[in-house]
Amino acid sequence: MCGIAGIVDFSGNTSPAELRRIAVAMADSLSHRGPDASGVWVAPDGLCALSHRRLSVIDLSEDGCQPMVAAGGRQAISFNGEIYNYRELKTVLEVGGSQFRSRSDTEVLLAGLLREGTGFLPSTDGMFALALYDADSRTLLLARDAFGEKPLYHWRQGNLFAFSSELQALALIPGFNPVIERAAILDYLQFQYVPAPRTIYRDCRKLEPGAWLRVTADGPAEPVRWFSFQTSAAVEDRRPLDDLADEAEDILLRGLRRRLISDVPLGAFLSGGIDSSTVAALVARRLDLPLRTFSIGFAGTSDSEHNEAAEIARYLGTEHNERVLEADQTHLVELLGQRLDEPNADSSCLPTWLLSGFAREQVTVALSGDGGDEMFGGYNRYFDCVEAVAANRERIQAGTWHAGRDYYSSRLLIFDDRDLRLLAGTDPDPVSSTALLLRRAIDQDPRPLVNVLRELDAAHYMPGAVLAKVDRMSMQHALEVRTPFLSLELARFAGGLGGDRIARGRTGKLVLRALAGRYLPADWLTRPKKGFGMPVNGWGEAAMRPVVARLLEDPQCRLADWLGGDQLRRWWAEHGSSHASFYQLWALALLETWLRAHPATPAAFLNREVGHAAA
């Protein structure tokens, strides 16, 4: 687990020394991702510099350092992540004549890409962002893992092209223009993140999950998808539930064995939910391995899951570690706004940050249950939407009600259409084209609704909010987080499940529940889903309102540059101070803090004066 960065000038106008300097500066801004070592490589053609910050997890020797250069010195890779099945891949490559000098997965990845090109990617079981430069063909290859566990940003200006693990590294490049358009602000306020491939900055892009991108002197080509999670069109699945649970268990055990490979201490997050508890149960009961588990809790609130986590830990016999905090942690929202490279309004960023710091005191790697809801269908909003469709069939036929608008509403969006219009003071509707396209995708898809929603969430919500949260918050503490639910093998299995094997009424994750029931108490499986997030019951909105009031009423309020100061004050007086939800308040506080802590220039036609005049 690491941080990567690099820059190419295909024109040759930037000296190799300057490319090196820029690449090193970018990597140094990522030191939290890789505190153990650093490295830089300048290509022999003088056009490219790759840099790296290392968190040593596999092969702690210098043989595993990066950028890693191929024999002959003409190609090099800078790689962030883990290839869990590198041992199997190494054996296959050795049969084909490849020779290795290290125990590193990086060397296996480099050899596979040089031999098979991008065709090697589907054979990997891993999470990664990588950059491979070939001085012979003067080509830079970028690639990202199937689900978007590891981030990869890129930027282009003329003949210059740069990439990095986090946005703030790109902001260090001479000539970088931190322009933020109003549309990006509105997207964030709706989705709680800026949907890929766009970013908060107008001139930067995210490489989408499961994609690769080739860059030459002609510029970047169109990204190519090498994987996408696809779900079944089957309404009914005649396979017995126990048989499906057997298959899921076999796949998860294979994935866990690979994800337990580590040369540093390893533990597991335990929230009390079905996903992380199943992971812990398989390690403790099927693999019969000792396991350190970690959870945090919040005192005096019914939202906290730490008691459930402790109960499961006792049942499984894990070495459990728990930290209980005061419930009101809203003062830390400003810290998160400063630490995040791109704003992310998932309020569980805060408990994830706290849990990661707690776990890092003892381990360097932690297992998690991320991805279980998307793979097996666990979000309550799926069942809410299915019920709403059943109740509105006549209106659907009349064209007056749409499932897409029901799902992409306050069920999932932070500011839905009405609330965003009230906040932004914009008419016509300021809903982004992304929301319109997603709604249309639901309405036009004849497959079982729960499968359509799983597929969309895996493509958008999971990488945009969930996995970005886990990556940034864990890497702030140099903690590597691995999940067995995000493997290509499991995704193909879960994607192939018929609708009736996902949910029955409001009970989801039928296959995973059948599996978990073999190792966990039966009564535990029927507990209501809580989710791992901020404890908002009883105090959340009351605690957040003064935080947001102070930020928005400040004469130096940055959000006013995009939405207009008068408009913001009017919204707060008429709606925000009394009707805004905790999640809306959290999103506004985090965004305002982020704008104050990072380079941020409004687009020219939306500067402060124009914004105030429009308001």
Side-chain angles (χ1 to χ4, degrees):
M1 193 65 63
C2 309
I4 65 174
I7 185 167
V8 187
D9 185 352
F10 290 105
S11 70
N13 291 332
T14 307
S15 70
E18 178 64 2
L19 291 175
R20 173 189 286 270
R21 185 197 68 77
I22 295 171
V24 168
M26 287 196 289
D28 285 348
S29 75
L30 305 172
S31 60
H32 53 281
R33 300 184 70 92
D36 296 331
S38 63
V40 63
W41 173 79
V42 177
D45 62 8
L47 301 181
C48 175
L50 304 181
S51 58
H52 190 266
R53 293 290 312 206
R54 185 184 186 193
L55 174 63
S56 301
V57 173
I58 294 176
D59 191 348
L60 308 185
S61 72
E62 291 188 1
D63 289 340
C65 287
Q66 298 187 50
M68 186 171 285
V69 185
R74 304 289 293 177
Q75 298 87 21
I77 190 171
S78 190
F79 156 62
N80 167 33
E82 300 288 350
I83 305 300
Y84 303 121
N85 63 335
Y86 75 99
R87 291 175 175 174
E88 298 101 302
L89 295 174
K90 184 177 184 178
T91 299
V92 173
L93 290 168
E94 285 176 329
V95 170
S98 296
Q99 296 181 340
F100 297 91
R101 58 180 175 79
S102 74
R103 296 184 298 108
S104 167
D105 58 340
T106 306
E107 189 176 12
V108 174
L109 182 59
L110 175 60
L113 288 170
L114 291 179
R115 174 176 292 185
E116 300 180 22
T118 56
F120 184 70
L121 297 175
S123 67
T124 61
D125 176 14
M127 56 178 178
F128 58 82
L130 68 87
L132 173 65
Y133 185 75
D134 185 340
D136 290 334
S137 62
R138 295 190 171 183
T139 299
L140 176 70
L141 173 69
L142 303 181
R144 195 174 177 203
D145 66 67
F147 305 98
E149 291 186 75
K150 294 293 101 185
L152 191 53
Y153 294 93
H154 56 91
W155 167 90
R156 181 192 183 192
Q157 185 179 74
N159 291 309
L160 282 176
F161 183 92
F163 67 88
S164 66
S165 294
E166 295 184 9
L167 269 179
Q168 79 271 359
L170 296 176
L172 297 174
I173 300 172
F176 180 85
N177 191 356
V179 170
I180 297 174
E181 294 184 329
R182 193 171 190 267
I185 299 291
L186 297 180
D187 273 348
Y188 161 85
L189 291 170
Q190 277 212 304
F191 291 97
Q192 67 188 295
Y193 57 89
V194 180
R198 291 172 292 116
T199 74
I200 192 71
Y201 290 128
R202 182 188 64 190
D203 298 336
C204 296
R205 292 290 182 269
K206 293 188 268 280
L207 185 60
E208 294 185 272
W212 56 263
L213 175 68
R214 202 178 303 279
V215 188
T216 66
D218 294 327
E222 286 297 313
V224 177
R225 294 299 295 264
W226 64 269
F227 177 82
S228 59
F229 176 59
Q230 296 180 336
T231 56
S232 172
V235 175
E236 295 183 353
D237 194 326
R238 298 185 180 279
R239 293 173 291 177
L241 197 57
D242 280 345
D243 290 354
L244 292 172
D246 287 342
E247 189 173 349
E249 184 169 2
D250 288 343
I251 296 171
L252 283 168
L253 286 171
R254 274 193 292 277
L256 274 169
R257 289 189 181 97
R258 291 169 175 170
R259 284 157 178 77
L260 289 167
I261 298 172
S262 175
D263 294 331
V264 293
L266 180 147
F269 291 164
L270 190 58
S271 69
I274 188 172
D275 304 327
S276 63
S277 298
T278 301
V279 170
L282 289 174
V283 174
R285 294 292 173 87
R286 277 301 309 271
L287 300 181
D288 196 26
L289 294 173
L291 183 65
R292 277 182 278 189
T293 53
F294 299 86
S295 69
I296 62 167
F298 299 94
T301 173
S302 60
D303 288 357
S304 184
E305 283 191 308
H306 66 284
N307 290 326
E308 287 92 335
E311 182 180 341
I312 290 297
R314 284 191 296 270
Y315 184 83
L316 296 175
T318 69
E319 180 187 327
H320 192 56
N321 302 268
E322 175 184 281
R323 181 169 291 170
V324 180
L325 307 168
E326 291 299 318
D328 188 353
Q329 298 289 323
T330 51
H331 61 284
L332 292 176
V333 66
E334 297 185 48
L335 181 144
L336 296 183
Q338 295 165 5
R339 296 288 184 89
L340 283 165
D341 66 316
E342 186 174 25
N344 181 337
D346 188 330
S347 61
S348 60
C349 279
L350 180 50
T352 303
W353 182 77
L354 294 167
L355 178 60
S356 296
F358 176 43
R360 189 62 173 89
E361 295 173 6
Q362 297 187 46
V363 300
T364 308
V365 177
L367 301 174
S368 83
D370 295 300
D373 284 313
E374 289 82 3
M375 293 299 105
F376 290 101
Y379 290 122
N380 288 330
R381 60 177 180 264
Y382 295 166
F383 318 133
D384 293 338
C385 191
V386 169
E387 289 180 349
V389 167
N392 287 278
R393 294 200 183 280
E394 292 184 2
R395 295 172 65 192
I396 293 173
Q397 292 176 352
T400 60
W401 192 92
H402 302 277
R405 184 167 290 276
D406 179 83
Y407 189 68
Y408 283 99
S409 65
S410 56
R411 295 198 194 285
L412 183 58
L413 304 179
I414 301 297
F415 284 85
D416 64 13
D417 298 10
R418 173 187 173 276
D419 287 339
L420 189 59
R421 188 182 295 111
L422 290 172
L423 173 65
T426 301
D427 193 34
D429 195 335
V431 176
S432 71
S433 58
T434 301
L436 295 175
L437 290 174
L438 292 173
R439 287 167 171 161
R440 196 170 294 146
I442 293 173
D443 293 336
Q444 296 176 351
D445 199 319
R447 292 177 298 167
L449 181 57
V450 69
N451 278 354
V452 175
L453 300 183
R454 285 194 300 139
E455 185 176 303
L456 286 173
D457 275 359
H460 300 278
Y461 172 74
M462 185 170 72
V466 178
L467 298 179
K469 164 199 68 183
V470 174
D471 173 81
R472 303 311 194 280
M473 296 298 93
S474 62
M475 293 310 296
Q476 282 290 323
H477 301 281
L479 178 77
E480 177 176 299
V481 178
R482 305 173 175 179
T483 174
F485 289 107
L486 296 181
S487 72
L488 296 180
E489 185 180 10
L490 188 69
R492 293 181 178 116
F493 165 78
L497 296 173
D500 66 340
R501 288 295 179 253
I502 299 299
R504 185 182 299 114
R506 294 193 63 83
T507 301
K509 295 183 181 175
L510 297 182
V511 173
L512 192 58
R513 286 179 188 275
L515 166 56
R518 300 170 178 179
Y519 306 103
L520 299 171
D523 62 343
W524 178 86
L525 295 174
T526 61
R527 292 176 177 176
K529 179 181 177 64
K530 287 186 177 180
F532 181 61
M534 288 292 291
V536 301
N537 286 348
W539 67 264
E541 292 174 9
M544 284 303 301
R545 290 195 198 286
V547 175
V548 175
R550 174 174 54 82
L551 292 170
L552 297 189
E553 293 171 358
D554 188 332
Q556 302 304 314
C557 175
R558 289 303 320 275
L559 190 53
D561 293 343
W562 287 267
L563 300 185
D566 292 342
Q567 172 61 30
L568 277 178
R569 285 187 288 272
R570 183 164 53 249
W571 172 81
W572 181 251
E574 296 178 0
H575 304 282
S577 61
S578 56
H579 293 95
S581 71
F582 168 82
Y583 301 103
Q584 292 174 339
L585 296 169
W586 181 270
L588 288 168
L590 190 135
L591 177 59
E592 175 62 26
T593 304
W594 189 93
L595 290 169
R596 295 185 186 195
H598 296 80
T601 303
F605 59 91
L606 287 170
N607 58 25
R608 179 179 293 273
E609 289 74 19
V610 172
H612 281 216

